[in-house]
Amino acid sequence: SNPLVSPISSTQVVVSFTTKVASTSSLKLLLSGGVQNFPGVATPQTTHVFNLDNLQPGTAYRYEIILNNKPIGTYSFTTPGI
């Protein structure tokens, strides 16, 4: 399923998704200056939740989801403006 992005504030969002098979996961936030890694849980799970904070308001971001050490797709979201 496509990740669900839930804005918490103009600088914080929660990205969540489920997998049919228990998997390890991590998220890479693709920034102009490089990549910010958000490691997930080490134990395989079917529900995956990432809390991304310290973002810029009203800004478009791209991120990549990694499942079982393999990239499965790149997605995007825009943080709410102030």
Side-chain angles (χ1 to χ4, degrees), residues 22-46:
S23 310
T24 59
S25 64
S26 61
L27 184 149
K28 282 186 181 177
L29 194 58
L30 308 173
L31 305 168
S32 55
V35 172
Q36 187 174 356
N37 287 302
F38 291 85
V41 289
T43 313
Q45 313 235 356
T46 55

Side-chain angles (χ1 to χ4, degrees), residues 43-58:
T43 313
Q45 313 235 356
T46 55
T47 300
H48 309 267
V49 178
F50 293 92
N51 183 21
L52 314 186
D53 56 8
N54 297 317
L55 304 172
Q56 298 296 318

